Amino acid sequence: MDSRGFDSAGRIFSSATEMWTEELGSSITASTAGEAEFTPAPAAAAEASEEGGGDGKRKEWYSKAIAYWQGVEASTEGVLGGYGCVNDADVKGSDAFLRPLLADRFGTAKRHLVALDCGSGIGRVTKNFLLGHFNEVDLVEPVSHFLEAARENLTGCMDQGEDSHKAANFYCVPLQDFTPEEGRYDVIWIQWCIGQLPDDDFISFFNRAKVGLKPDGFFVLKENIARNGFVLDKVDNSVTRSDAYFRDLFKRCGLYILSVKDQKELPKELFAVKMYALVTSQPKIQNSGKRRRPRNSPRMIRS
């Protein structure tokens, strides 16, 4: 994997380890168990001891990100960085990706489905997409004015009655501190927010979140993709990772890719976007249903 990258100011890093060492005063190592561990860098050792075991820079990393989003308007234009025009294409792409996965994992029989919308913002994804597929959606979002806007936006669009589709719970908690209710969710949807988490918190989050899945439940991660390595955004303290970088992290999380698809119809100046369906056990190899015909045998013609 090419782990080189650069930040929004143009500085080049030779590796993700170098970048995280500078940003958090620690370096990332992978243990044999697949967990990511942070080790204080020598230059930061004194500072780490004064800042509660190296937590000072980590708290600064997250507080700067929250401060950035607290200054953003609670609107579709705001949460999409001035690109509210991508909303329709985004929803269309997500629907096309999720719909066959739900049928494949849970069948076509009617059942009560529950989803978790991670980094839910103003409830855009829940309102425009998830509520169409799930009876209940819980939202988790660390920016308080976004979550309050989500409550308001979702109040009037929820079905009533026995087969209701509703936003059930609103959690104002950052992902690095969130642990879902055990066995509650059929799908945990994570979109345009995981870049706020350093690698070790990324892995810890997924390991905790696994317990929130029902049998046959799965994650969907929808995220910007760097061409190579990573891109560090110093404005909102986020990291855009490459496909290879994500795949390496998935392995460290003990996750398997069930399906992957590119998001289409986005402006060319934006990052590419991929959707990954992730499961906790090795997917069974699907038979395509096509039978290999003997050489020189005639093709079947159907009327």
Side-chain angles (χ1 to χ4, degrees), residues 3-283:
S3 61
R4 293 172 295 177
F6 59 92
D7 66 18
S8 50
R11 177 178 176 181
I12 298 175
F13 296 94
S14 62
S15 68
T17 299
E18 179 188 356
M19 183 269 291
W20 290 124
T21 298
E22 177 167 315
E23 292 301 313
L24 302 181
S26 308
S27 58
I28 303 174
T29 59
S31 72
T32 55
E35 297 283 350
E37 299 175 347
F38 266 71
T39 304
E47 178 184 1
S49 63
E50 294 175 3
E51 295 181 338
D55 287 341
K57 278 200 168 186
R58 185 180 300 270
K59 290 178 180 178
E60 181 182 348
W61 168 271
Y62 284 123
S63 63
K64 184 177 179 181
I66 292 294
Y68 170 83
W69 288 109
Q70 285 175 337
V72 172
E73 181 182 82
S75 65
T76 298
E77 282 291 319
V79 297
L80 292 179
Y83 281 89
C85 58
V86 309
N87 179 72
D88 290 348
D90 169 54
V91 170
K92 179 182 176 182
S94 295
D95 185 81
F97 183 66
L98 182 64
R99 190 178 295 272
L101 290 170
L102 291 178
D104 179 63
R105 299 291 285 185
F106 308 128
T108 56
K110 189 175 181 179
R111 60 179 285 174
H112 189 91
L113 296 174
V114 183
L116 176 66
D117 183 359
C118 295
S120 62
I122 62 171
R124 181 188 67 87
V125 172
T126 292
K127 180 177 180 179
N128 296 330
F129 165 56
L130 292 176
L131 283 178
H133 294 280
F134 298 91
N135 301 93
E136 295 182 62
V137 180
D138 292 345
L139 293 81
V140 56
E141 167 59 49
V143 180
S144 58
H145 77 290
F146 283 174
L147 199 62
E148 285 306 309
R151 289 180 188 272
E152 295 177 9
N153 293 337
L154 293 167
T155 298
C157 68
M158 294 185 285
D159 297 337
Q160 303 299 321
E162 185 177 343
D163 188 29
S164 63
H165 290 250
K166 63 181 181 180
N169 297 294
F170 297 80
Y171 301 107
C172 192
V173 183
L175 289 188
Q176 68 272 16
D177 296 329
F178 183 75
T179 300
E181 178 183 335
E182 184 174 351
R184 172 164 170 76
Y185 301 108
D186 298 283
V187 172
I188 296 179
W189 188 276
I190 307 148
Q191 179 169 350
W192 287 333
C193 62
I194 204 70
Q196 308 288 169
L197 270 61
D199 291 358
D200 65 332
D201 283 342
F202 179 113
I203 294 169
S204 295
F205 165 72
F206 275 102
N207 283 338
R208 293 194 312 276
K210 288 176 187 178
V211 304
L213 292 173
K214 295 179 184 177
D216 292 326
F218 59 97
F219 297 100
V220 174
L221 176 67
K222 185 169 187 177
E223 194 54 76
N224 293 341
I225 301 294
R227 290 185 179 180
N228 297 290
F230 61 89
V231 178
L232 169 64
D233 190 331
K234 296 287 286 183
V235 176
D236 67 356
N237 270 16
S238 67
V239 173
T240 300
R241 299 168 169 98
S242 66
D243 177 62
Y245 197 148
F246 272 124
R247 288 172 183 263
D248 181 64
L249 286 176
F250 297 155
K251 289 181 181 178
R252 296 188 189 187
C253 293
L255 295 173
Y256 301 87
I257 296 176
L258 177 67
S259 181
V260 61
K261 189 174 184 179
D262 294 327
Q263 170 68 49
K264 305 295 185 183
E265 302 177 19
L266 295 181
K268 293 182 180 179
E269 65 269 23
L270 298 181
F271 280 111
V273 173
K274 284 185 180 291
M275 295 169 278
Y276 302 91
L278 305 166
V279 292
T280 59
S281 58
Q282 181 75 53

